[in-house]
Amino acid sequence: MTPSQSDSPDTRPADAPTPVSYADLASWIGRSETLHDTITSTPVIALAATLDHPAAPVLPGDTLPLLWHWLYFLPMRPTSPASKAIPV
């Protein structure tokens, strides 16, 4: 399949993510988002168990393994188009 065929909306599965344009990405230049979270042991222990990795409870000041911060600082807002019609 050529790149132009694979990018065609007609050939993508119905549940495929919407492609992001350069203009969409460029609109984020200079913008930022700050989230706050409390680091608790439960997500770390759960991921460690999933990966069959030894885990210890997380204590204040502990360093998380690389990329495990993705378990935290999650956006807590609706993402569906229908939710945008509902005032928050």
Side-chain angles (χ1 to χ4, degrees):
M1 199 180 286
T2 66
S4 61
Q5 289 174 325
S6 64
D7 293 338
S8 170
D10 299 332
T11 60
R12 292 183 309 126
D15 61 346
T18 304
V20 177
S21 71
Y22 177 78
D24 291 335
L25 296 175
S27 72
W28 276 93
I29 294 174
R31 294 173 57 192
S32 65
E33 181 176 41
T34 302
L35 298 173
H36 299 274
D37 202 348
T38 302
I39 306 300
T40 60
S41 293
T42 302
V44 169
I45 292 170
L47 182 57
T50 301
L51 300 175
D52 200 22
H53 186 280
V58 178
L59 301 173
D62 284 354
T63 302
L64 294 172
L66 187 62
L67 302 179
W68 285 32
H69 67 281
W70 288 345
L71 298 170
Y72 304 94
F73 312 105
L74 304 174
M76 301 294 177
R77 61 181 175 271
T79 58
S80 69
S83 66
K84 292 179 172 80
I86 302 169
V88 180

